[in-house]
Amino acid sequence: MTTHKNLLGGPEPTYLPENEEAYRLLSEESRPPAEVAAKHPTFSLAWAILADDAFEAGRVVESYAYARTGYHRGLDALRRAGWKGHGPVPWGHRANQGFLRCLAALARAAGAIDEKDEAERCRQFLQDSSAEAYTELKR
């Protein structure tokens, strides 16, 4: 068995657990994200989709609320997965993408309601967590 040691001395990447049923409900059954969020409230991807949809429809405060909910649920999940408050959250791991999308949506919505400090903190957190997600999600 090969183990990969972080030679820079920082924390190891955190990988959230998959929720296959929630993914199936969204993709195969085409269930509305609100229904999936209600059935699986810890599934950040559903909250991220709700945040993005609300923002695109001009419902910025609603987008902020959805993004904040998914962000906090994601933080809880990261902590349960061993995350200690900093370190990589790889974008390439599907289960991490919901949290990272919520973080980007929160930055966007915070900026839109003139919460400049929060918007900047969220952008920096996103960049620190995953440079790839930051590049993919910045708007």
Side-chain angles (χ1 to χ4, degrees):
M1 177 166 83
T2 303
T3 59
H4 299 283
K5 182 173 167 119
N6 184 339
L7 299 177
L8 299 176
E12 294 295 320
T14 302
Y15 299 96
L16 293 173
E18 297 282 352
N19 184 333
E20 294 301 332
E21 181 184 349
Y23 285 114
R24 184 183 56 72
L25 290 172
L26 279 177
S27 61
E28 293 173 24
E29 294 191 22
S30 301
R31 306 307 265 175
E35 183 180 318
V36 177
K39 186 171 175 76
H40 299 278
T42 62
F43 186 60
S44 290
L45 181 59
W47 296 106
I49 294 167
L50 289 166
D52 289 345
D53 290 350
F55 193 85
E56 290 171 16
R59 300 185 319 270
V60 178
V61 172
E62 188 177 322
S63 176
Y64 180 88
Y66 286 135
R68 181 162 284 291
T69 300
Y71 164 77
H72 280 288
R73 290 329 264 300
L75 284 177
D76 292 343
L78 283 169
R79 289 183 186 108
R80 282 191 303 277
W83 184 76
K84 303 293 186 208
H86 67 285
V89 181
W91 172 253
H93 181 64
R94 178 176 75 160
N96 291 352
Q97 291 178 6
F99 167 74
L100 295 166
R101 284 182 57 183
C102 282
L103 185 53
L106 185 56
R108 180 186 61 217
I113 62 171
D114 211 27
E115 286 283 341
K116 291 180 175 77
D117 290 343
E118 182 176 28
E120 184 50 40
R121 276 193 307 274
C122 289
R123 280 197 272 309
Q124 188 62 55
F125 185 12
L126 180 63
Q127 189 170 25
D128 292 346
S129 298
S130 172
E132 185 179 2
Y134 180 80
T135 300
E136 180 76 22
L137 299 172
K138 69 180 178 182
R139 297 182 201 187

